[in-house]
C-alpha cells in the first residue's frame, strides 16, 4: 500500500495508536459474532471466497520468486488455476484509492477517495491518512488519527456507493475484513479511547465504526484472541503479514469462514519502497503467510477444493533513480509567483495554491479565484520530467498536456470512439500525449492502461479547482516534507509501470469481466450469488 505508501499509513497510524493507547473490545466482538451459524460449502452450496491482497505485488518479481523456489504457495495456486500477469489498477495508484475501487467496483469519481493526500475545499484543510514521519511531525496528529480511522471509511468514502461488505450484508451474507484499510460494512464496532485522550474533547470515549461482521484491524481488533501478542511496536502493531494470516487461519479453523474474506498482506510494499521493484524478500514473506492460511485446511489440495482463492497485487511500483538531485521533482519552484499554503499551518485567505503530493502524482489546487488553472498548467509545463498534466474546464472537458510540450489532447465521456472496456468517448487533439491509437473508431491503450476512465475518475473525485500531475518513470514528486524513495520504488502515476498487477485465481474457472481491479467486486458477487 505505498502508503500508497500503504504500509506508511500503518506505520504512522500505529505510532498514533501507541501514543493514544486505543484498543478495540475484540473479546466482546467475538462473543457477539458467534451467535449466527457459520456459512459453509455444504450449507450454502457455494465455496467461500478468500482474497489475499499483497501490496505492490508485480509480475516480474513474482515470476522470479517462483523460479527461485521462494514462493511455493503462490506457485501452487497458480499451477492449479489461472494466472493473469497484467490487471489494471485504479488511479492514483495509492492504496486508499485502489482499495476503495476494489471494494466498491467504481473509480474515484464515484467512491470519492482521491488519494492518500488531498485537499478538502469544503473543510479548507489538507486530508492526510498518514504519509511518512516528516509530514507526521508537522501536522495535527489527532486529525490524522480521525481521518485514517474514522473519516476515511465513515465520511469520505461515498455513502451512496456500496462496498462489497455492505452488499453482502444486505443479501444476508457474511464477510470478513482482515487488516484492510478500507472496510466499511453494516456491523457496528466500538474502538475504545482512553480518558486522558477524551479529556481533550477532540475524540469521543468510544469511536464507533462500521465494518463487516468479522473485522480485524491490527492493534484495534483481533479475531483470534491469541493473535494479540502479535501487535507490539516491532511487529508494526499487528499491521503485518503474519497477523493477517493468523486471523484468516483462525476463521478457517473455527469453521466461521464467511462468504467473502478480504485479507491484506502489507509488508511487501515497504520492501519494494526501500529496495526497489526487483527485491524478492517481501514476496517470500507474503508467501510464508499464505502458507499459514492454506495449511489451516490440512492440505493445500483441500484448500483449493473447499475455497475460491484470489491472490493479487494492488498497484505496482517503478524504480526511482538513486541520485536524489536527479530523481526528485519539486513542484513548488515552478509556482513561485503564487503563495503556496504551508503544511503545518491552516490555509489562509491570502494562500493561492495547495499542493498534495502522492509520490509520483500530485493534485495542485487553485484555491484563490484569481488563479487560473490554465496559468498553473503553463508554469508546470516548464518541467520536462512531468509526464501527464491535466485540468478540467467548465464544460467537464479534460485537457491533457506534458512538460516541455505545446501539444494538447482533450476528451470527455460519450461519443463515437469506444475502448476495449466498452466505454465511449469524444476525443480531440494529439492522442499520442496519452499514448492511444484508433482504428475504425476503436481505442487501443498503450503505456497508460485505461487512461481515459482512470484520469476522468481522479479529475471528478472531489470538489475544487485542481490540476493533476504525474511524473515520468524513474522520478518522484516531492513537496514540503513528503517522503522520498531514492534508489527504491514508488507509485502513484498512470504509467503501466505503476499500474499493472498480477492476479492468481484458483478454485473456479471464471474470471472478471475485464482485467481491471474496478471489475473485481462484481465478479466476486457473481461467485457468491451464482
Amino acid at each position: 500500500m505505498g502508503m500508497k505508501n500503504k504500509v506508511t499509513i500503518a506505520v504512522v497510524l500505529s505510532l498514533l495508536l501507541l501514543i493514544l493507547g486505543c484498543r478495540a473490545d475484540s473479546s466482546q466482538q467475538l462473543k457477539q459474532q458467534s451467535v449466527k451459524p457459520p456459512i459453509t460449502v455444504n450449507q450454502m452450496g457455494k465455496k467461500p471466497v478468500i482474497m489475499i491482497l499483497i501490496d505492490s505485488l508485480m509480475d516480474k518479481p513474482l515470476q522470479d520468486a517462483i523460479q527461485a523456489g521462494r514462493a511455493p504457495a503462490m506457485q501452487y495456486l497458480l499451477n492449479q488455476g489461472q494466472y493473469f500477469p497484467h490487471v489494471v489498477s485504479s488511479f492514483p495508484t495509492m492504496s486508499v484509492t485502489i482499495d476503495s475501487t476494489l471494494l466498491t467496483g467504481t473509480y474515484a469519481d464515484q467512491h470519492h477517495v482521491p488519494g492518500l493526500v488531498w485537499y478538502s475545499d469544503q473543510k479548507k484543510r489538507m486530508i492526510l491518512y498518514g504519509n511518512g514521519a516528516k509530514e507526521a511531525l508537522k501536522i495535527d496528529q489527532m486529525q490524522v488519527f480521525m481521518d485514517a480511522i474514522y473519516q476515511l471509511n465513515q465520511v469520505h468514502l461515498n455513502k451512496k456507493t456500496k462496498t462489497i461488505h455492505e452488499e453482502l450484508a444486505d443479501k444476508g451474507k457474511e464477510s470478513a475484513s482482515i487488516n484492510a484499510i478500507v472496510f466499511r460494512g453494516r456491523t457496528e464496532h466500538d474502538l475504545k479511547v482512553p480518558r486522558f485522550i477524551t479529556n481533550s474533547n477532540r475524540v469521543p470515549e468510544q469511536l464507533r465504526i462500521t465494518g463487516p461482521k468479522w473485522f480485524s484491524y491490527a492493534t484495534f481488533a483481533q479475531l483470534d484472541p491469541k493473535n494479540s501478542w502479535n501487535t507490539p511496536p516491532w511487529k508494526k502493531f499487528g499491521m503485518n503479514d503474519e497477523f493477517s494470516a493468523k486471523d484468516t487461519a483462525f476463521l478457517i479453523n473455527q469453521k466461521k469462514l464467511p462468504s467473502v474474506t478480504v485479507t491484506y498482506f502489507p509488508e511487501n510494499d515497504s520492501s519494494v519502497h526501500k529496495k526497489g521493484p526487483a527485491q524478492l524478500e517481501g514476496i517470500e514473506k507474503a508467501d510464508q503467510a499464505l502458507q499459514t492460511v492454506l495449511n489451516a485446511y490440512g492440505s493445500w489440495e483441500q484448500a483449493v477444493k473447499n475455497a475460491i482463492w484470489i491472490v493479487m497485487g494492488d498497484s505496482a511500483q517503478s524504480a526511482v533513480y538513486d541520485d536524489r538531485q536527479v530523481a526528485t521533482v519539486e513542484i513548488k519552484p515552478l509556482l513561485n509567483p503564487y503563495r503556496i499554503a504551508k503544511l503545518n499551518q491552516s490555509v489562509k485567505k491570502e494562500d493561492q495554491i495547495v499542493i498534495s503530493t502522492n509520490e509520483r502524482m500530485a493534485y495542485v489546487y487553485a484555491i484563490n479565484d484569481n488563479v487560473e488553472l490554465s496559468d498553473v498548467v503553463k508554469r508546470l509545463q516548464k518541467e520536462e520530467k512531468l509526464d501527464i498534466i491535466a485540468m478540467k474546464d467548465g464544460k467537464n472537458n479534460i485537457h491533457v498536456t506534458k512538460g516541455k510540450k505545446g501539444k494538447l489532447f482533450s476528451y470527455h465521456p460519450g461519443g463515437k470512439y469506444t475502448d476495449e472496456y466498452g466505454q465511449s468517448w469524444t476525443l480531440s487533439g494529439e492522442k499520442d500525449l496519452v499514448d492511444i491509437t484508433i482504428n475504425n473508431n476503436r481505442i487501443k491503450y498503450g503505456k497508460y492502461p485505461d487512461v481515459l476512465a482512470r484520469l476522468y475518475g481522479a479529475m471528478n473525485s472531489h470538489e475544487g479547482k485542481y490540476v493533476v500531475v504525474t511524473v515520468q518513470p524513474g522520478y518522484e514528486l516531492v513537496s514540503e516534507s513528503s517522503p522520498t524513495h531514492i534508489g527504491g520504488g514508488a507509485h502513484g502515476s498512470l504509467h503501466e509501470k505503476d499500474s499493472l498487477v498480477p492476479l492468481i485465481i484458483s478454485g473456479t474457472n471464471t474470471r472478471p469481466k475485464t482485467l481491471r481491479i474496478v471489475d473485481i467486486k462484481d465478479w466476486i458477487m457473481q461467485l457468491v450469488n451464482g
Side-chain angles (χ1 to χ4, degrees):
M1 207 184 111
M3 283 198 102
K4 253 147 231 42
N5 203 328
K6 205 172 198 178
V7 171
T8 313
I9 257 189
V11 173
V12 172
L13 184 55
S14 297
L15 289 173
L16 286 170
L17 295 178
L18 179 63
I19 295 169
L20 300 179
C22 291
R23 298 283 304 200
D25 192 354
S26 53
S27 60
Q28 285 297 316
Q29 179 190 50
L30 280 169
K31 290 179 183 177
Q32 293 168 2
Q33 292 177 343
S34 61
V35 175
K36 202 171 178 182
I39 297 175
T40 66
V41 178
N42 292 333
Q43 287 174 319
M44 302 301 296
K46 299 289 181 185
K47 293 198 288 187
V49 176
I50 302 174
M51 170 181 281
I52 307 292
L53 192 65
I54 301 175
D55 208 326
S56 297
L57 182 67
M58 295 168 278
D59 170 59
K60 178 63 166 58
L62 172 58
Q63 296 288 3
D64 291 344
I66 289 174
Q67 194 71 25
R70 298 172 69 173
M74 282 183 260
Q75 181 180 16
Y76 180 81
L77 292 178
L78 189 155
N79 290 341
Q80 296 295 316
Q82 309 171 70
Y83 181 67
F84 303 98
H86 298 143
V87 174
V88 182
S89 187
S90 185
F91 175 73
T93 39
M94 305 295 285
S95 291
V96 287
T97 301
I98 300 165
D99 290 0
S100 299
T101 290
L102 178 67
L103 261 65
T104 67
T106 67
Y107 282 143
D109 57 311
Q110 294 183 57
H111 65 60
H112 298 172
V113 179
L116 184 63
V117 183
W118 55 285
Y119 174 77
S120 170
D121 189 58
Q122 181 183 15
K123 298 291 185 182
K124 304 299 180 187
R125 70 173 180 87
M126 294 273 281
I127 307 294
L128 298 99
Y129 301 120
N131 194 36
K134 288 183 179 179
E135 281 191 348
L137 293 173
K138 284 194 172 186
I139 55 184
D140 184 344
Q141 294 291 294
M142 206 69 72
Q143 188 62 64
V144 175
F145 173 83
M146 291 300 294
D147 282 346
I149 295 300
Y150 184 81
Q151 299 284 333
L152 170 60
N153 282 277
Q154 311 302 318
V155 178
H156 301 154
L157 185 66
N158 187 3
K159 292 183 178 180
K160 295 180 181 178
T161 306
K162 288 184 181 181
T163 68
I164 192 168
H165 299 304
E166 290 169 324
E167 282 202 25
L168 287 167
D170 291 346
K171 293 179 180 295
K173 299 181 187 297
E174 298 173 1
S175 62
S177 175
I178 298 175
N179 264 349
I181 300 300
V182 180
F183 51 72
R184 195 181 69 201
R186 300 294 190 206
T187 302
E188 291 186 335
H189 304 273
D190 286 327
L191 303 179
K192 294 186 176 180
V193 184
R195 287 183 181 177
F196 76 91
I197 294 296
T198 58
N199 286 341
S200 69
N201 295 321
R202 298 189 59 195
V203 180
E205 291 184 5
Q206 285 194 334
L207 195 60
R208 178 158 291 188
I209 60 163
T210 62
K213 177 178 177 180
W214 302 103
F215 176 65
S216 174
Y217 191 78
T219 197
F220 286 101
Q222 302 92 39
L223 295 173
D224 183 356
K226 296 178 181 178
N227 213 5
S228 59
W229 68 270
N230 199 19
T231 61
W234 59 90
K235 286 182 176 282
K236 299 178 182 175
F237 301 92
M239 188 54 70
N240 61 67
D241 296 354
E242 184 184 6
F243 176 100
S244 300
K246 288 190 172 182
D247 258 10
T248 308
F250 176 78
L251 287 177
I252 297 169
N253 289 325
Q254 296 295 313
K255 297 185 174 16
K256 297 182 183 298
L257 200 65
S259 295
V260 176
T261 299
V262 179
T263 296
Y264 171 56
F265 288 178
E267 294 185 77
N268 181 58
D269 177 75
S270 178
S271 296
V272 179
H273 275 306
K274 291 177 182 177
K275 300 180 181 180
Q279 68 82 36
L280 304 183
E281 290 86 353
I283 297 176
E284 183 175 21
K285 196 166 189 176
D287 195 86
Q288 290 170 352
L290 178 58
Q291 291 174 43
T292 297
V293 181
L294 291 172
N295 289 340
Y297 277 98
S299 72
W300 294 3
E301 292 83 359
Q302 286 298 313
V304 172
K305 181 179 179 182
N306 288 285
I308 295 172
W309 296 84
I310 302 169
V311 179
M312 60 183 294
D314 58 353
S315 77
Q317 291 194 34
S318 50
V320 178
Y321 296 128
D322 57 8
D323 185 329
R324 180 175 294 273
Q325 290 187 330
V326 173
T328 56
V329 178
E330 290 194 59
I331 297 176
K332 186 176 180 179
L334 300 171
L335 304 173
N336 258 337
Y338 298 120
R339 180 182 173 95
I340 299 173
K342 294 185 180 298
L343 183 65
N344 62 342
Q345 298 177 7
S346 300
V347 175
K348 297 177 170 54
K349 288 184 178 180
E350 57 267 31
D351 289 334
Q352 298 172 297
I353 297 286
V354 172
I355 302 172
S356 296
T357 304
N358 290 265
E359 294 187 22
R360 294 187 5 89
M361 78 82 64
Y363 291 106
V364 181
Y365 300 86
I367 60 172
N368 185 293
D369 291 339
N370 295 324
V371 178
E372 296 291 335
L373 286 182
S374 57
D375 292 335
V376 174
V377 168
K378 287 178 183 177
R379 295 181 185 279
L380 293 171
Q381 281 182 284
K382 295 177 182 178
E383 174 53 72
E384 63 181 353
K385 296 173 185 176
L386 295 184
D387 195 24
I388 295 288
I389 305 171
M391 61 165 279
K392 185 176 65 173
D393 65 19
K395 297 181 180 180
N396 209 27
N397 294 301
I398 296 173
H399 304 289
V400 181
T401 186
K402 286 182 182 288
K404 294 293 185 180
K405 298 283 185 182
K407 297 178 179 180
L408 184 68
F409 169 74
S410 302
Y411 75 99
H412 64 260
K416 68 178 182 179
Y417 299 104
T418 305
D419 65 20
E420 59 196 272
Y421 306 113
Q423 304 163 141
S424 61
W425 307 94
T426 294
L427 315 174
S428 63
E430 302 294 332
K431 293 178 281 295
D432 62 312
L433 288 171
V434 291
D435 196 27
I436 63 175
T437 55
I438 297 176
N439 185 21
N440 295 326
N441 292 339
R442 296 286 294 179
I443 298 170
K444 182 179 181 182
Y445 294 113
K447 60 185 177 183
Y448 307 108
D450 198 21
V451 59
L452 301 180
R454 294 201 296 151
L455 180 57
Y456 180 87
M459 297 301 304
N460 292 277
S461 58
H462 57 304
E463 296 178 352
K465 295 194 309 180
Y466 53 85
V467 177
V468 164
V469 181
T470 71
V471 71
Q472 295 171 9
Y475 304 102
E476 188 170 16
L477 293 168
V478 295
S479 58
E480 183 185 354
S481 302
S482 64
T484 57
H485 305 92
I486 307 303
H491 41 195
S493 83
L494 284 156
H495 199 281
E496 62 186 359
K497 289 188 176 181
D498 293 5
S499 302
L500 297 178
V501 300
L503 168 65
I504 301 171
I505 302 170
S506 192
T508 177
N509 293 324
T510 67
R511 49 161 279 183
K513 179 177 66 174
T514 72
L515 293 177
R516 300 183 299 170
I517 284 180
V518 72
D519 284 322
I520 297 284
K521 176 197 170 188
D522 286 346
W523 170 58
I524 292 177
M525 291 301 297
Q526 291 170 10
L527 290 172
V528 172
N529 295 325

